[in-house]
């Protein structure tokens, strides 16, 4: 199982973190190892190598078929469920690595940095490109988005990624975060929603 993540997939988020950079013309891809996965409402422990861990709330898609060089018009056949995930980012480490021109996988791929919630069957979703999702921290909504605002839709992402690496059953795709990322702290209670259904619920320790 591999975790594929999309960066800079919402224009307002691009402006939020990358003001001076143009919007991407193709999906921006990075990977997380399977050891990054955090599920079953287990707590997230803030690592000792960062002073600023930030949440990035995302729609996550689960791959259910083996595929390579998938056509965009057939991509909808290759996933069976969605959920809300948190792409935890060590922002201070990312800024340091970017300023030095170094790869920044470590700030994204550390242990438990890919939290996921309960899965919702794709059969219950009317249109994958019209899903509202949001994150509450301590009962207050801190980030919300809709998949209609993606720069690159889910099917286009799947077609693009499958040109370079074979998608396998159980692979996860984090589809990018909207505007509104921010830091977490110990004792925060995170709850993620698809529409009005809570699918993600855990604490920061």
């Amino acid at each position: 199982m591999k975790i594929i993540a999309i960066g800079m997939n919402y224009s307002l988020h691009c402006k939020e973190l990358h003001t001076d950079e143009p919007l991407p013309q193709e999906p921006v891809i990075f990977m997380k190892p399977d050891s990054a996965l955090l599920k079953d409402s287990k707590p997230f422990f803030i690592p000792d190598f960062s002073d600023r861990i930030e949440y990035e709330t995302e729609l996550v898609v689960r791959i259910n078929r083996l595929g390579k060089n998938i056509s965009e018009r057939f991509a909808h056949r290759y996933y069976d469920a969605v959920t809300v995930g948190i792409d935890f980012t060590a922002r201070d480490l990312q800024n340091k690595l970017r300023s030095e021109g170094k790869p920044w996988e470590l700030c994204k791929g550390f242990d438990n940095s890919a939290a996921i919630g309960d899965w919702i069957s794709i059969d219950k979703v009317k249109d994958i490109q019209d899903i509202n999702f949001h994150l509450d921290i301590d009962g207050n909504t801190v980030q919300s988005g809709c998949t209609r605002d993606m720069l690159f839709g889910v099917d286009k992402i799947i077609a693009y990624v499958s040109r370079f690496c074979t998608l396998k059953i159980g692979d996860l795709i984090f589809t990018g975060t909207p505007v509104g990322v921010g830091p977490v702290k110990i004792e925060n209670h995170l709850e993620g929603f698809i529409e009005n259904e809570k699918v993600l619920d855990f604490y920061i320790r």
Side-chain angles (χ1 to χ4, degrees), residues 112-166:
N112 298 325
S113 62
I116 60 168
D118 300 325
W119 295 102
I120 293 177
S121 171
I122 202 69
D123 295 334
K124 296 181 179 180
V125 176
K126 292 182 180 180
D127 182 355
I128 198 164
Q129 292 307 143
D130 192 20
I131 297 175
N132 294 293
F133 59 97
H134 69 272
L135 175 70
D136 287 2
I137 295 183
D138 301 334
N140 299 309
T141 299
V142 296
Q143 190 178 22
S144 60
C146 182
T147 56
R148 79 169 73 91
D149 297 324
M150 288 178 172
L151 295 174
F152 307 101
V154 172
D155 291 352
K156 184 177 290 291
I157 289 168
I158 287 172
Y160 183 83
V161 169
S162 70
R163 291 173 54 199
F164 301 93
C165 57
T166 300

Side-chain angles (χ1 to χ4, degrees), residues 33-48:
D34 57 6
S35 55
L37 193 63
L38 179 68
K39 58 182 181 177
D40 301 327
S41 296
K42 293 179 179 177
F44 172 82
F45 290 89
I46 293 180
D48 60 6

Side-chain angles (χ1 to χ4, degrees), residues 2-145:
K2 56 186 174 290
I3 302 169
I4 300 161
I6 312 302
M8 301 175 66
N9 201 25
Y10 289 81
S11 59
L12 292 180
H13 173 64
C14 292
K15 295 176 182 177
E16 176 181 43
L17 291 185
H18 309 286
T19 306
D20 299 326
E21 298 180 21
L23 294 177
Q25 299 303 302
E26 294 181 324
V28 176
I29 310 296
F30 62 94
M31 312 281 279
K32 290 175 178 266
D34 57 6
S35 55
L37 193 63
L38 179 68
K39 58 182 181 177
D40 301 327
S41 296
K42 293 179 179 177
F44 172 82
F45 290 89
I46 293 180
D48 60 6
F49 55 76
S50 175
D51 294 322
R52 188 176 179 88
I53 297 293
E54 294 192 353
Y55 59 82
E56 297 189 12
T57 313
E58 313 196 7
L59 186 83
V60 183
V61 175
R62 184 176 69 190
I63 299 298
N64 69 331
R65 294 177 64 181
L66 184 72
K68 172 69 175 176
N69 289 322
I70 300 166
S71 169
E72 184 177 342
R73 66 191 177 112
F74 295 128
H76 65 278
R77 301 178 181 178
Y78 287 82
Y79 50 89
D80 64 351
V82 295
T83 191
V84 168
I86 306 294
D87 166 24
F88 282 114
T89 303
R91 192 70 68 198
D92 50 352
L93 180 57
Q94 184 183 43
N95 292 337
K96 177 178 181 294
L97 293 171
R98 282 172 60 93
S99 69
E100 296 172 351
K102 295 177 180 177
W104 41 264
E105 280 83 356
L106 289 180
C107 77
K108 290 278 195 179
F110 56 89
D111 287 352
N112 298 325
S113 62
I116 60 168
D118 300 325
W119 295 102
I120 293 177
S121 171
I122 202 69
D123 295 334
K124 296 181 179 180
V125 176
K126 292 182 180 180
D127 182 355
I128 198 164
Q129 292 307 143
D130 192 20
I131 297 175
N132 294 293
F133 59 97
H134 69 272
L135 175 70
D136 287 2
I137 295 183
D138 301 334
N140 299 309
T141 299
V142 296
Q143 190 178 22
S144 60

